[in-house]
Amino acid sequence: MVFYMGLQTLPQLRQMLAEAGVAADLPAVAVERGTTPEQREVWAPLSSFVERVEEKSLKSPTLIVMGNVVALGRGWKEAVESSEPMSDMKLEGSCRN
């Protein structure tokens, strides 16, 4: 699932997904200002995603991706092995300038 400009409604979105039976451990990532030098990311399971996004005070424009495909991303392994949210990551080998 991909949501653009969904920061304002993220808590309600998580609630609706939970009510629909979506697993709490669903992988999620928020990407603020994607493909720019100011890009920031937050990787977390759905259960703690809202809180971690709020901790980092992400702003629009932000792209939110949820689903098993997120677990294939370069930041997911570190996110689940760490108690800290993955954010402000440096992108090596990316298409960013």
Side-chain angles (χ1 to χ4, degrees):
M1 298 174 278
V2 179
F3 305 92
Y4 188 63
M5 305 297 280
L7 286 177
Q8 295 287 330
T9 59
L10 193 54
Q12 294 89 345
L13 176 62
R14 179 175 62 181
Q15 181 65 33
M16 289 172 43
L17 291 171
E19 290 172 1
V22 173
D25 63 349
L26 184 75
V29 62
V31 182
E32 175 190 275
R33 291 180 248 153
T35 74
T36 71
E38 295 83 25
Q39 178 171 321
R40 297 191 307 151
E41 304 169 5
V42 174
W43 301 74
L46 186 58
S47 61
S48 61
F49 187 62
V50 172
E51 293 78 14
R52 290 186 174 189
V53 167
E54 290 173 350
E55 286 171 9
K56 291 300 178 178
S57 301
L58 294 187
K59 305 286 184 220
S60 292
T62 297
L63 185 70
I64 299 165
V65 182
M66 297 178 180
N68 292 331
V69 68
V70 173
L72 301 174
R74 63 179 159 52
W76 183 249
K77 183 177 179 187
E78 293 88 357
V80 297
E81 290 176 352
S82 166
S83 61
E84 294 296 314
M86 296 303 295
S87 60
D88 304 324
M89 298 177 61
K90 300 291 182 200
L91 297 180
E92 297 178 18
S94 73
C95 61
R96 289 187 358 189
N97 295 335

